[in-house]
Amino acid sequence: MDTIFALATAQGKAGVSVIRISGARAWDAGLVFCSNLPSSHKAGLRNLTDLSGALIDQALVLPFEDRKSFTGEPVVEFHLHGSTAIASRIMELLGGVEGVRLAEPGEFTRRALENGKLDLAQVEGLADLIDAETEAQRKQAVRVLAGDLGRTAEIWRSDLIRAASLLEATIDFADEDVPVDVTPEVLELLDRSQSAINKEAEGVKTAERIRTGFEVAIIGAPNIGKSTLLNAIAGRDAAITSEYAGTTRDVIEVKLDLNGLAVTILDTAGLRETEDFVEKIGIDRALQRAKAADLRVFLKSSVNEKLPITPQTGDIEILGKADLFQSQSGMTVSGKTGNGVDNLVSVISTTLFERSASAGIATRERHRQALLSSVQYLNAAKDGLTLGPDHYDLVAEDMRSAIRALNSLIGHVDVENLLDEIFSSFCLGK
């Protein structure tokens, strides 16, 4: 396998630039630039020179022995002064070393997976950690990267292996008198695992929203103050406002960090009957996005106003233009004066935080599908148990299939076709 290298820090001028080399020839490649390397896991100051002996930079050199690095291979890191010229010169010379080439995006992490330093779920957690923009996203990604999902899956897997082994022992001694009926213990193990796996699968949708961001749609009639409210929440003029109905034709999005949660606020076209073809398109889009949103804020002109779509649990109904309708009772807001905006944002944050409490460790649709697949096989196994010992061989196979589904969750089987897609999201040098 080739030895690879890449710039592990961002391109451009910086205080420090790090170039990482990984593979069987990493230490040899390091010795091209200096006469000796520090001991493994020890940083040492070295003069890095080119083939003619001319000084390129004075840098910290940090080597890692085989099996004791992030990738599981011998690794050398050069911690350089953050000059683009220095980094470019080092990489130019590295490209000329036999058996050494520039890494592909995500190749360092892929090698960590292949060498057993990370499981697939941890790889996904690392990608999410790099992309994290809010505190909730960071916390979630750190849990996955730390291996929480893999450890939880191993508990389920151990229980199912125990259940399968009990049944297979019964099958092996089918012609003899087996003194103990293993069915109650097997059923207990299956019920416990199935309940826990189901609960985790139910939390994936919420966990995925934490990872990708919640959507909150502001909807209501034309000229009720939706765009003005959006601007007030965003703290800038994100949407055009005017006294003319139908000003907003398309969905306008503003991304915010609400107390650690990634939230996109949607300003939608005013909902009304219209003959304007373009406005009709905007209204249709508004309804589609509103229905698909995680939370809807219905901005109304009166308490008894009929809503264009049926509110769902947790949706917020609020009176708009509070500066004009101060006599009305109920929760009110005015984007123009700012009255009630902080309260509305607080209600949105609280609602989304309450929903976030149901999030599990699994964070992706791939995880959910693997979990549901395991549950389906466990259902089949439980049904088979009720049919008696003649069906135990089929029950044992269903259990093995459930275990394989859990193995795919952490990348032990049946995921080769996913790897290129997953690693394509990584930057060069990670």
Side-chain angles (χ1 to χ4, degrees), residues 31 35 42 51 117 127 149 178 249 296 317 393 401:
L31 290 171
S35 58
K42 298 286 181 65
L51 298 179
K117 305 297 285 188
L149 182 57
V178 180
R249 298 295 182 96
R296 283 148 292 278
E317 298 180 35
D393 54 342
S401 296

Side-chain angles (χ1 to χ4, degrees), residues 139-384:
K139 288 180 177 179
Q140 182 185 69
V142 164
R143 288 183 66 192
V144 180
L145 177 58
D148 285 10
L149 182 57
R151 283 188 289 273
T152 302
E154 184 57 35
I155 293 172
W156 302 329
R157 188 172 168 276
S158 297
D159 282 349
L160 295 182
I161 289 173
R162 166 69 177 168
S165 64
L166 287 171
L167 268 191
E168 287 169 353
T170 302
I171 296 168
D172 290 341
F173 295 97
D175 296 331
E176 303 177 22
D177 291 330
V178 180
V180 178
D181 180 9
V182 300
T183 306
E185 183 177 355
V186 170
L187 273 174
E188 181 186 353
L189 289 167
L190 294 185
D191 284 339
R192 184 168 68 199
S193 299
Q194 185 182 33
S195 176
I197 295 170
N198 255 328
K199 183 177 180 182
E200 189 63 43
E202 290 169 359
V204 170
K205 290 292 187 183
T206 301
E208 192 168 29
R209 297 314 272 166
I210 293 174
R211 183 172 67 84
T212 61
F214 291 93
E215 285 193 349
V216 177
I218 304 173
I219 57 177
N223 263 351
I224 191 58
K226 298 184 298 299
S227 297
T228 304
L229 177 59
L230 177 76
N231 291 341
I233 294 174
R236 60 185 176 86
D237 289 338
I240 298 172
T241 61
S242 81
E243 70 274 19
Y244 298 107
T247 298
T248 301
R249 298 295 182 96
D250 207 348
V251 178
I252 298 172
E253 303 181 4
V254 172
K255 297 183 182 296
L256 301 172
D257 180 340
L258 292 187
N259 294 326
L261 290 176
V263 179
T264 299
I265 307 292
L266 309 177
D267 175 25
T268 60
L271 304 182
R272 65 169 180 171
E273 295 294 330
T274 179
E275 297 301 320
D276 187 308
F277 176 73
V278 176
E279 188 179 356
K280 278 184 178 180
I281 295 175
I283 291 171
D284 288 341
R285 288 183 180 179
L287 288 170
Q288 291 170 9
R289 292 296 297 274
K291 290 175 182 177
D294 301 289
L295 181 66
R296 283 148 292 278
V297 176
F298 292 94
L299 209 55
K300 306 192 298 184
S301 59
S302 67
V303 174
N304 298 320
E305 180 181 325
K306 185 178 179 180
L307 298 175
I309 58 177
T310 303
Q312 299 179 19
T313 302
D315 284 350
I316 300 167
E317 298 180 35
I318 189 168
L319 300 174
K321 294 191 174 182
D323 51 309
L324 301 179
F325 304 111
Q326 295 178 3
S327 61
Q328 297 198 53
S329 60
M331 187 174 169
T332 62
V333 67
S334 170
K336 185 176 181 179
T337 66
N339 289 339
V341 172
D342 288 344
N343 182 46
L344 174 60
V345 170
S346 177
V347 172
I348 292 172
S349 297
T350 300
T351 302
L352 295 180
F353 259 109
E354 289 173 351
R355 295 186 184 182
S356 299
S358 65
I361 309 169
T363 60
R364 295 172 180 254
E365 180 60 21
R366 182 187 74 80
H367 302 165
R368 192 176 77 90
Q369 291 300 325
L371 293 168
L372 292 179
S373 177
S374 183
V375 167
Q376 288 175 349
Y377 285 119
L378 293 180
N379 279 329
K382 289 167 67 176
D383 290 342

